[in-house]
Amino acid sequence: MEKKRIALRKLLEAVEHELLKKPNRKTLDRLSLLVGFQDWESFQEALHGEADAKTNYEPSENRKETSR
């Protein structure tokens, strides 16, 4: 029974280690897109600085109007 307990503890430690690992850059960039930022750096600047999601978009007056 002791061997099973030790094996289970090692398995749980391995799973915990994987869950706590930082996601790679591509994943962070994709998550940033979901919340309205162009990339992870832009999102970090908004969190820790003066920027916000509005800096990632052109003002409406600068956009070209499309006719149907």
Side-chain angles (χ1 to χ4, degrees):
M1 190 64 158
E2 183 66 22
K3 287 182 180 180
K4 288 182 180 180
R5 188 177 68 79
I6 292 171
L8 181 58
R9 183 175 356 137
K10 286 183 179 182
L11 176 63
L12 291 174
E13 287 173 357
V15 169
E16 184 181 46
H17 177 72
E18 284 298 313
L19 290 175
L20 295 176
K21 213 162 53 169
K22 184 177 179 182
N24 67 27
R25 180 58 186 250
K26 188 175 181 180
T27 302
L28 294 172
D29 284 342
R30 288 180 177 175
L31 289 171
S32 299
L33 283 171
L34 287 173
V35 294
F37 292 88
Q38 295 297 317
D39 55 23
W40 180 247
E41 288 178 6
S42 299
F43 180 62
Q44 288 295 302
E45 287 174 8
L47 285 177
H48 304 292
E50 305 276 329
D52 61 17
K54 293 177 187 174
T55 61
N56 290 313
Y57 301 101
E58 294 178 349
S60 59
E61 62 268 3
N62 290 342
R63 281 189 233 146
K64 293 180 181 177
E65 295 292 325
T66 56
S67 58
R68 293 183 183 197

